[in-house]
Amino acid sequence: MLTLAPNADRRGSVCQRPNPRLHVAGRASATLVATFCLLGMSAQAQVIIANGTLVVGDSTKPTASFSLPTQPADVKDAVDEFQRMVKHEQWEKAFKSLETIAGKTSTGYLDRKDGVLVPSRLLVRSLLASLPAAGKNAYRLFYDSQATALWDKAVGKNEAGNLSTIVANHVISSVGDRAADRLGDLYFEQGDMDKALVAWRSIVDYCPDSKLSKAQVLVKMATVLARDRRWSEFREIEKTVRERYAAEVVEIGGRRVTAAEQMGLLGSAAQAVEPVVEAAPADDVELPGEVEPLWQFRFQSKTDPLNPNQPFTLMDVYGRQRPNDFTIPAAADEKRVYVNLFGVEMAFDLASGKLLWRSGKLHSLQLQQGRQGVAPERYSIVLSGDRTWSVLRDPQQNNQNNQMNGFALMVREAATGKEVFSTRRTLSSWTILGPPYPAGDVVYVGGSRSNQGREMSVLVLDAKDGKLLKTVTVGNHAVDQNQVYGERIAQPSFLLHRDRLFIDTHAGALVSMQPRTGDFDWGILYDSPPPSTGYNYYNSTPPQFGVSGPVYSAGLMFAKGMRSARLLGVQTDSATLAWNRSVANSAVILGIDDDRVYLGGEELTAYSLKTQELLWATQLPLSAAWCVPLLTRHRLYQFTSRGVCEVDKETGAVVKIFRGVDLDAFGGAFFVTPQALVTVSNLAITAYPRSPGGPTSTN
């Protein structure tokens, strides 16, 4: 099994003990689902679960440059008081302290002093669910009367409100599970499937001692998932039902059937849907010998003799001419290769090299402000279905010394280049951050309101017409991204796995979000120093940071922030940290197979999935920082300044180098199509014929 980093823009000793500068809180048992959200800037403690009790210990905060609004200090004091009183079994005082938290707005987050912020609306339920049996009995003694009164009055216009209050504040009362079940039914009848699912899930998460039929609750949840065609989540519940409750009888619409039979009926529609599985490793590629290219397109036909590596007029703020090492976003399918060259999009026929369509003229590009004005890393292009999805801005804005504003998402028909929609018109007050992440009928993309360089949000758009469906504010940068001139600004990357959207801010925060509701489950801070906001000295070279991940494989979600020196591996269901390994700052995740994690950057490295041990490290010729290597069954291919290098994945040995004809370039992207091998460098697109023998049969 092979998993590749999903982003198009890619680029020590073993540390198996947890990094004292990074901490994660998770759930300790089935009786407690600890759902955490994002991050505190002044973390000083570590939170763990011991014998059902939250314990706070000392630690050192990670250097992250990202934050979310927090609840007032009195909420933290209330948590401390609750823990002290629970330890001494002083139940009345413990429960009084929780009333402080329950009364706060749900939009604020509780700084747990461990790099994790906890949504207050979920903290109360988690704390109550974690109580020992004596504590739960005491709680019911104090609060059952309140919960029962709300239950008795949950009729008519007060029904939804009273039931919601019970579930939010009294979920472990004697009527808490029934209130959640009835609330789910009510939302289901109203057609609000997301809220129905959340209500029923609270029974599973917070009421393990419920007398309600677990099979019945799970079948209800599965019904919602089947209606929404959320088959990966459906199959998780189906597996649980068939393993534990297959023969239990449930009642559906007046019929009494076994849980297994009902799951079979619900899942029948899924049979026509191709199951979602991890991609199988691609076949190895036989690199050609010395061969003439099928065709080549140079981005500028006439170059300055004094600057042979200079395809565009480029000058930095000091008046220095410099070689173009800028990102050239590219993508390829079976028929065409596409590029997004500073806002000029082009498509070429793979067989002939014919220019099929373009959105502008290259000779109009005069890039005179250097990196901080051009913002080359902001441009991207991805393929999804029969469309190209590009992030760009008007080429006339390329010389404006403000790299944050003006970037939009442009969607075109891949075959014709016809515009489908653009956020220039529909979201003119937003600037796009990072490559888009199309996922079925929606597309996720990072965004920031114009001239608000600290803000970062996730925009959920309708994939058909670009209509804004939802805006979720993730948090704020410590450094205004408008003031980052010499370095790459932070842009989020996404991974949709099962029913969660994982977001790496690349500024020191990794979060899990429920994409349908916009609610956060947990957040992890990792070391990520803030970027430089000033100009560097005259001959300085700005750091080249690459972006990759998150990547899910081998039961873990891996992430590596672009400025971070840590590789993280997270067990997503419990939000526990399995990997926290030191790596090079320049490293990016290339891919993962059954045995190894592969990183690129200044050198190629491979780490054991089982032991986290460094297995090999290989130094290749100079490559562009934005190179896109290719991983296959037994090989890794990278387009460098000396040609395409073929590396053995098991040993790291360089097996072969195909020189090609683009040797004055810095390297870049390498694509394998049925018709050709394609390289995209800072100077040209070049297509080479596939070897007659096709894929190799390397063992």
Side-chain angles (χ1 to χ4, degrees):
M1 197 73 68
L2 176 69
T3 307
L4 300 180
N7 304 87
D9 184 16
R10 319 189 195 272
R11 299 277 276 161
S13 63
V14 177
C15 177
Q16 298 191 34
R17 293 179 297 175
N19 178 12
R21 304 192 69 188
L22 189 153
H23 306 284
V24 182
R27 64 187 175 196
S29 70
T31 62
L32 174 61
V33 178
T35 48
F36 302 126
C37 202
L38 189 62
L39 78 170
M41 290 295 295
S42 58
Q44 294 293 335
Q46 179 181 15
V47 177
I48 59 175
I49 305 295
N51 298 322
T53 303
L54 288 169
V55 181
V56 180
D58 293 332
S59 69
T60 304
K61 67 177 182 179
T63 308
S65 54
F66 204 81
S67 65
L68 275 183
T70 60
Q71 289 279 18
D74 60 340
V75 178
K76 172 59 174 65
D77 294 339
V79 172
D80 294 339
E81 179 71 8
F82 173 82
Q83 294 175 269
R84 286 193 296 268
M85 295 302 102
V86 166
K87 182 178 180 180
H88 297 289
E89 297 188 354
Q90 297 184 19
W91 305 118
E92 184 175 7
K93 292 182 179 179
F95 300 144
K96 286 295 183 181
S97 66
L98 285 189
E99 293 179 3
T100 301
I101 305 174
K104 296 296 180 180
T105 174
S106 61
T107 59
Y109 296 86
L110 179 64
D111 185 355
R112 294 255 294 259
K113 302 303 180 182
D114 65 339
V116 176
L117 290 186
V118 183
S120 57
R121 69 183 187 280
L122 298 177
L123 176 63
V124 171
R125 277 175 272 181
S126 297
L127 293 174
L128 292 175
S130 67
L131 286 171
K136 291 180 179 179
N137 291 334
Y139 181 89
R140 290 163 187 155
L141 180 64
F142 285 109
Y143 292 99
D144 254 11
S145 59
Q146 295 182 25
T148 302
L150 289 168
W151 172 262
D152 292 338
K153 296 177 181 179
V155 293
K157 64 180 182 179
N158 297 323
E159 183 176 16
N162 283 8
L163 294 175
S164 296
T165 300
I166 295 172
V167 174
N169 300 328
H170 305 300
V171 71
I172 67 168
S173 68
S174 61
V175 297
D177 55 346
R178 287 182 287 163
D181 187 43
R182 183 168 152 190
L183 183 63
D185 291 341
L186 180 63
Y187 285 138
F188 186 84
E189 293 168 2
Q190 294 174 349
D192 195 334
M193 299 300 169
D194 290 333
K195 289 184 178 180
L197 189 62
V198 169
W200 289 324
R201 194 184 296 278
S202 66
I203 302 172
V204 177
D205 291 344
Y206 304 115
C207 304
D209 301 326
S210 173
K211 302 301 182 182
L212 295 176
S213 168
K214 290 184 175 61
Q216 185 83 36
V217 174
L218 290 172
V219 167
K220 288 182 177 181
M221 295 171 62
T223 301
V224 170
L225 296 173
R227 288 195 175 197
D228 284 354
R229 302 179 69 82
R230 295 159 64 177
W231 298 119
S232 61
E233 301 165 65
F234 174 87
R235 292 187 180 94
E236 293 293 318
I237 293 181
E238 181 182 36
K239 179 181 178 182
T240 300
V241 170
R242 294 190 181 280
E243 289 178 351
R244 301 181 184 179
Y245 312 108
E248 189 169 329
V249 176
V250 297
E251 184 172 339
I252 304 295
R255 298 183 303 108
R256 292 177 61 82
V257 296
T258 66
E261 290 173 337
Q262 183 62 21
M263 294 300 294
L265 292 174
L266 292 173
S268 60
Q271 303 303 317
V273 179
E274 184 178 356
V276 178
V277 296
E278 294 186 57
D283 289 329
D284 300 330
V285 178
E286 183 177 355
L287 294 178
E290 296 305 316
V291 63
E292 288 297 316
L294 294 173
W295 56 269
Q296 184 181 72
F297 178 87
R298 295 186 66 86
F299 298 129
Q300 181 170 307
S301 58
K302 295 181 180 180
T303 59
D304 184 346
L306 300 178
N307 295 280
N309 289 335
Q310 185 77 318
F312 306 108
T313 302
L314 188 82
M315 188 175 296
D316 65 17
V317 292
Y318 300 111
R320 301 172 300 178
Q321 288 191 338
R322 54 172 294 170
N324 171 30
D325 60 352
F326 286 178
T327 306
I328 309 296
D333 56 24
E334 295 185 354
K335 297 180 179 180
R336 293 172 288 270
V337 59
Y338 313 84
V339 293
N340 175 7
L341 198 66
F342 304 105
V344 177
E345 301 168 272
M346 297 179 289
F348 299 87
D349 181 79
L350 267 177
S352 64
K354 179 182 178 182
L355 178 62
L356 300 176
W357 57 263
R358 65 181 182 181
S359 63
K361 298 180 179 180
L362 291 185
H363 66 72
S364 65
L365 295 177
Q366 299 292 318
L367 311 180
Q368 296 178 354
Q369 280 292 335
R371 180 174 297 278
Q372 74 283 355
V374 176
E377 298 91 350
R378 296 290 307 277
Y379 295 85
S380 63
I381 185 169
V382 298
L383 285 169
S384 180
D386 57 357
R387 296 178 177 180
T388 62
W389 305 70
S390 298
V391 174
L392 45 75
R393 63 177 171 181
D394 188 332
Q396 300 304 314
Q397 294 182 294
N398 283 338
N399 293 319
Q400 294 184 10
N401 193 15
N402 186 341
Q403 63 173 331
M404 275 295 294
N405 293 330
F407 283 87
L409 174 63
M410 176 70 72
V411 181
R412 299 183 185 275
E413 294 179 354
T416 65
K418 180 181 178 181
E419 180 180 330
V420 178
F421 68 82
S422 171
T423 60
R424 281 180 182 150
R425 289 177 290 276
T426 59
L427 296 172
S428 58
S429 63
W430 289 86
T431 187
I432 300 301
L433 296 171
Y437 190 89
D441 57 354
V442 299
V443 57
Y444 304 99
V445 68
S448 177
R449 297 185 187 276
S450 299
N451 299 317
Q452 295 186 23
R454 293 181 184 270
E455 178 190 77
M456 198 203 84
S457 299
V458 175
L459 309 181
V460 186
L461 310 179
D462 190 310
K464 294 181 180 178
D465 54 14
K467 180 181 178 181
L468 180 63
L469 302 177
K470 188 187 300 293
T471 301
V472 182
T473 300
V474 178
N476 293 281
H477 295 278
V479 174
D480 189 331
Q481 301 296 286
N482 282 310
Q483 306 302 317
V484 180
Y485 298 111
E487 295 187 14
R488 177 179 188 149
I489 68 170
Q491 303 177 75
S493 57
F494 305 97
L495 174 68
L496 186 64
H497 179 69
R498 295 178 180 168
D499 61 340
R500 291 297 184 268
L501 182 70
F502 299 102
I503 308 164
D504 190 345
T505 64
H506 289 285
L510 179 69
V511 299
S512 170
M513 188 185 87
Q514 301 175 31
R516 304 180 74 87
T517 64
D519 293 332
F520 292 100
D521 299 301
W522 50 260
I524 298 173
L525 280 182
Y526 58 80
D527 280 319
S528 181
S532 171
T533 58
Y535 298 113
N536 295 316
Y537 58 88
Y538 184 81
N539 278 325
S540 66
T541 301
Q544 300 296 296
F545 296 116
V547 172
S548 63
V551 181
Y552 189 89
S553 185
L556 298 175
M557 193 267 295
F558 288 88
K560 161 65 176 66
M562 69 176 183
R563 290 187 179 90
S564 177
R566 313 298 304 183
L567 174 63
L568 309 183
V570 182
Q571 294 177 351
T572 56
D573 292 338
S574 58
T576 55
L577 193 64
W579 275 62
N580 181 18
R581 195 195 192 288
S582 61
V583 295
N585 286 84
S586 61
V588 293
I589 304 173
L590 300 182
I592 305 168
D593 60 20
D594 292 336
D595 302 311
R596 292 172 287 270
V597 179
Y598 303 93
L599 301 185
E602 295 178 355
E603 64 179 1
L604 300 180
T605 54
Y607 298 90
S608 169
L609 266 179
K610 185 177 297 184
T611 67
Q612 303 186 25
E613 177 186 6
L614 175 63
L615 299 177
W616 55 258
T618 300
Q619 193 79 38
L620 294 181
L622 175 69
S623 300
W626 48 275
C627 69
V628 184
L630 171 69
L631 268 73
T632 61
R633 192 178 305 275
H634 304 97
R635 296 288 190 255
L636 185 151
Y637 304 86
Q638 182 164 315
F639 177 34
T640 73
S641 58
R642 295 186 61 195
V644 179
C645 295
E646 178 181 349
V647 178
D648 187 290
K649 286 170 55 179
E650 184 172 353
T651 65
V654 178
V655 177
K656 182 178 181 179
I657 299 180
F658 168 57
R659 304 294 181 184
V661 298
D662 200 7
L663 296 180
D664 53 346
F666 292 127
F670 177 60
F671 300 101
V672 176
T673 75
Q675 299 187 47
L677 305 179
V678 181
T679 61
V680 181
S681 73
N682 57 308
L683 298 179
I685 307 172
T686 310
Y688 301 93
R690 294 289 302 269
S691 296
T696 64
S697 56
T698 309
N699 294 316

